[in-house]
Amino acid sequence: MLPAVLSADLCSLLGGVDRYAMSVVWELDAQTLAVVQVWYGRTLVRSSYQLHYELAQALLDGGPAEVPELAGLGPEEKGAELARLTEALQTLTRIARNLRAQRDQGGALELEGVEVRAQLDEDRNITALIPRQPLEVHETVAECMIYANHWVARKIHAAFPQRALLRRHPPPRRQFFGPLVDTAAARGFTVDTGCVFAPRCGASAPCGRGQYYSGGCAPCGRGQYYSGGCAPCGRGQYYSAGCAPCGRGQYYSAGCAPRTNKALAASLDRAVDPRDPLVNRLLRIMATAAMSQAEYFSTGLQAQDHFYHYGLALDRYTHFTSPIRRYADVLVHRLLAAAIALDRGGGGAGAPASNRDLEETARHINNKNRAAQRAQKASTELFQCLYFRDRDPQTDRRCVADAVVYSIRDNGVLVFVPEYGVKGPVYLKNREGQVAAVGADGGCEWQSGAVLRHSDRISTATGGGTVTVRLFDHVTAEQPEPPGRSSSQLVREVVRLAQEAQEEAQQEAARRPRLSREEREFSQTKTPNLYSLLEEIRELALLDPEGVPPCRGSRPPTEGVPPCSRGSRPPTEGVPPPPCAPTAPFKADQKSAPCGS
């Protein structure tokens, strides 16, 4: 996030306060909600209300709600204003539902993530782990943001076809869908991942060994087709390992890759168990885990077929709506401002960055984004560990919760605990080879026995009988103490490592020389550094010996010796470098700056 003075104040839409904004305004048909026209520009926004999600949802649901901005009004005036506010929210919700329906027709996926927030008391101790509860108003805001991002992507791409920053979501690889397909099948559902042949591959045909190869496969050196490398695809047919790329540049070498998300979206919508809503939620979580990562890119380095956003089912997409927390949005704002200037005939307007520079920036943002996601995941796991740190599973009922089995392993199962948003293993076989069994008191104990694993279930066989656990079974999971050390020891070790790293950073800062105010402001030193040396090398490489005038007061440049730069000439053997005399200011018609500039 940007500093609080920006993110929480100057760049935040507060109620009753003027704020500068970059806006996308649509005029919609009142009946069909089709876009009549769209406008982009700088605006001054004053929000009438500052609503949090729960309050807005309460207004939509018709429940009791207290709006702070209406507290000082009389009953009649308050009722009229509340009715106007509710009508505006209902209109916005109707528009968002229509936008979502349009994307659903294109195959948009409704994915599911696990978001948990920690609730703290006055002493900043974690008192509860609260999974995020989805509200329709969340979807309303999300749809409006997606719509704005999509239209801004169209605008900047039209203005700068080779230098626009967009965000794409490549289709996932089919082999990543294996766990999802198998888990759904165990419940009787079929998940269609959209396995199709590439356009260039044509219809499959039998190869020499009675299997199948793609009709578009390239011939081998002997003029035959790749029959020896045939392997089965998801539909029981065969493709060649040498299959040609499809229209989106995907190769069908590791398995048939999906080219459409419509089939997957439709099959997930059908995979609903009326008796257990967690079934569909778990399948969507698994589908989310199988997705490829979305990434930023410069349009000049990708074919337009690769612009597609698989999850959102949009041909172009970018990030525009959150400049206070994403640098990509700041770049997109600059691109949009430049595009608006072009429309108005602004002289000298152009893309803020070249295609190459933009791609380098996009690569850097992608790396940082992945690092932030890993940090967020580790942070959530740390808070979950802190919550259970000092709790005794034998006495604290919060360490025991309902869990759902979503994967079978050789020595146990993987479960999801909805109450805490936790995923974890439940072991049915320990390191000593004993298996879990139900004791005489109804509790769990380790006994001699065997574990039998099947695709959709796992069984333990002991002297006391057989226990079978199936996919999507609800089980009671208990938070155990980690073997060898307690969870509190683990947390203390994490805190200790963080403190040591902070102390090392402070010691390193103390050893650095004191800098002047100017040096501190620009984080540069007066002595030559790597940056200045690289810049000098770059300038030397770009100089044109024929277009740069020789230094006054010095000998003309000799063959193989570049002109002097930054006040000095590289020494030649036996010839000391004469100093460069001051020269006239650099002129626009010169090919490069003269010495001393």
Side-chain angles (χ1 to χ4, degrees):
M1 297 289 286
L2 293 177
V5 66
L6 294 175
S7 60
D9 187 7
L10 298 180
C11 298
S12 185
L13 295 177
L14 305 178
V17 179
D18 290 343
R19 285 290 179 260
Y20 293 112
M22 186 75 78
S23 299
V24 185
V25 180
W26 301 275
E27 180 183 340
L28 306 179
D29 183 274
Q31 302 301 322
T32 64
L33 298 182
V35 175
V36 177
Q37 64 178 2
V38 61
W39 178 88
Y40 307 85
R42 299 182 183 274
T43 56
L44 190 65
V45 178
R46 177 182 293 181
S47 298
S48 299
Y49 301 94
Q50 188 173 357
L51 305 179
H52 55 79
Y53 286 112
E54 291 74 15
L55 177 55
Q57 188 65 53
L59 291 171
L60 286 169
D61 295 340
E66 290 296 328
V67 180
E69 288 84 355
L70 303 180
L73 301 180
E76 184 175 346
E77 186 179 3
K78 180 178 180 180
E81 290 297 323
L82 195 61
R84 288 180 56 196
L85 174 59
T86 304
E87 183 182 2
L89 289 172
Q90 291 170 344
T91 300
L92 191 63
T93 303
R94 182 170 66 93
I95 293 172
R97 289 172 181 171
N98 180 73
L99 295 178
R100 175 69 201 198
Q102 292 178 18
R103 292 199 302 111
D104 286 343
Q105 291 177 359
L109 297 174
E110 183 181 345
L111 301 177
E112 182 79 35
V114 180
E115 296 184 29
V116 180
R117 68 178 180 90
Q119 181 174 293
L120 307 179
D121 59 15
E122 295 179 355
D123 299 325
R124 305 189 69 80
N125 296 315
I126 303 176
T127 59
L129 294 175
I130 304 176
R132 177 177 177 268
Q133 298 298 324
L135 303 173
E136 185 177 17
V137 70
H138 290 148
E139 298 301 321
T140 297
V141 174
E143 284 301 326
C144 293
M145 295 172 69
I146 290 171
Y147 206 52
N149 289 335
H150 171 58
W151 277 87
V152 169
R154 293 173 59 173
K155 179 67 175 178
I156 61 176
H157 178 236
F160 308 111
Q162 304 297 320
R163 291 171 293 173
L165 182 69
L166 300 188
R167 185 167 175 83
R168 71 190 189 104
H169 184 202
R173 297 180 181 177
R174 184 183 178 276
Q175 59 266 36
F176 293 163
F177 281 126
L180 170 64
V181 173
D182 295 340
T183 303
R187 198 69 165 191
F189 298 119
T190 300
V191 174
D192 187 352
T193 59
C195 176
V196 294
F197 288 106
R200 296 184 189 175
C201 293
S204 55
C207 71
R209 298 188 177 181
Q211 295 175 328
Y212 285 83
Y213 71 93
S214 165
C217 288
C220 70
R222 297 183 178 180
Q224 298 174 339
Y225 283 90
Y226 292 105
S227 57
C230 289
C233 86
R235 295 186 173 179
Q237 295 176 327
Y238 287 80
Y239 68 95
S240 164
C243 185
C246 75
R248 296 191 184 277
Q250 298 289 328
Y251 283 84
Y252 293 75
S253 55
C256 290
R259 288 192 301 118
T260 175
N261 43 3
K262 278 189 176 182
L264 177 61
S267 58
L268 287 175
D269 290 340
R270 292 191 298 266
V272 176
D273 188 340
R275 299 166 298 175
D276 190 356
L278 280 176
V279 171
N280 188 262
R281 183 183 177 190
L282 271 174
L283 292 177
R284 292 187 184 277
I285 290 175
M286 297 179 72
T288 304
M291 292 292 117
S292 303
Q293 280 200 325
E295 60 183 11
Y296 300 103
F297 68 98
S298 175
T299 52
L301 268 72
Q302 295 285 349
Q304 191 159 345
D305 281 346
H306 295 180
F307 292 5
Y308 187 70
H309 197 291
Y310 181 84
L312 298 178
L314 294 173
D315 60 344
R316 280 161 294 183
Y317 191 69
T318 192
H319 275 160
F320 158 77
T321 54
S322 300
I324 62 173
R325 65 183 180 92
R326 288 187 304 233
Y327 183 62
D329 299 56
V330 176
L331 297 180
V332 170
H333 274 236
R334 295 171 182 168
L335 283 164
L336 181 58
I340 294 171
L342 278 179
D343 289 344
R344 295 175 179 174
S354 66
N355 176 40
R356 180 177 178 181
D357 291 341
L358 193 60
E359 181 63 23
E360 290 179 359
T361 303
R363 190 179 302 113
H364 175 76
I365 296 175
N366 290 331
N367 291 336
K368 292 300 182 182
N369 185 39
R370 286 188 285 268
Q373 290 175 345
R374 291 192 294 268
Q376 181 181 15
K377 181 176 182 293
S379 174
T380 300
E381 292 174 350
L382 177 60
F383 273 94
Q384 291 168 339
C385 186
L386 287 168
Y387 178 71
F388 292 105
R389 168 175 62 175
D390 299 321
R391 305 190 190 281
D392 185 359
Q394 304 301 322
T395 59
D396 196 331
R397 297 303 301 171
R398 286 173 291 188
C399 294
V400 180
D402 178 70
V404 183
V405 178
Y406 71 90
S407 184
I408 304 295
R409 293 292 186 264
D410 290 335
N411 59 344
V413 296
L414 298 180
V415 299
F416 172 65
V417 184
E419 183 177 352
Y420 300 121
V422 174
K423 294 180 180 178
V426 174
Y427 297 101
L428 300 179
K429 184 177 183 180
N430 62 18
R431 295 179 179 179
E432 288 73 30
Q434 297 176 312
V435 299
V438 179
D441 59 351
C444 181
E445 60 183 34
W446 297 106
Q447 297 180 5
S448 299
V451 174
L452 304 176
R453 177 190 174 182
H454 304 274
S455 61
D456 62 341
R457 65 191 185 278
I458 187 171
S459 302
T460 60
T462 64
T466 302
V467 176
T468 300
V469 179
R470 300 178 182 275
L471 285 171
F472 296 110
D473 277 356
H474 285 248
V475 298
T476 300
E478 180 181 284
Q479 174 69 22
E481 287 289 326
R485 58 179 177 177
S486 66
S487 57
S488 59
Q489 289 175 320
L490 177 63
V491 173
R492 283 196 293 270
E493 181 177 343
V494 172
V495 174
R496 179 183 61 81
L497 293 174
Q499 291 175 341
E500 289 179 356
Q502 184 178 9
E503 291 175 359
E504 290 180 1
Q506 292 174 348
Q507 293 173 0
E508 177 66 23
R511 288 194 294 266
R512 294 173 184 166
R514 293 183 177 274
L515 303 177
S516 67
R517 178 180 178 182
E518 180 182 359
E519 291 169 333
R520 287 196 304 271
E521 181 179 357
F522 295 100
S523 300
Q524 294 179 347
T525 60
K526 292 182 177 179
T527 57
N529 52 39
L530 179 60
Y531 176 79
S532 62
L533 293 175
L534 290 175
E535 280 295 293
E536 186 166 349
I537 293 173
R538 183 182 69 85
E539 290 188 4
L540 287 173
L542 294 176
L543 288 179
D544 183 355
E546 297 181 358
V548 180
C551 302
R552 283 187 280 180
S554 64
R555 59 177 173 80
T558 56
E559 184 177 358
V561 180
C564 51
S565 176
R566 294 191 182 273
S568 63
R569 183 194 305 281
T572 52
E573 185 175 356
V575 181
C580 292
T583 61
F586 177 60
K587 297 181 180 178
D589 58 349
Q590 289 177 298
K591 295 184 179 179
S592 180
C595 304
S597 62

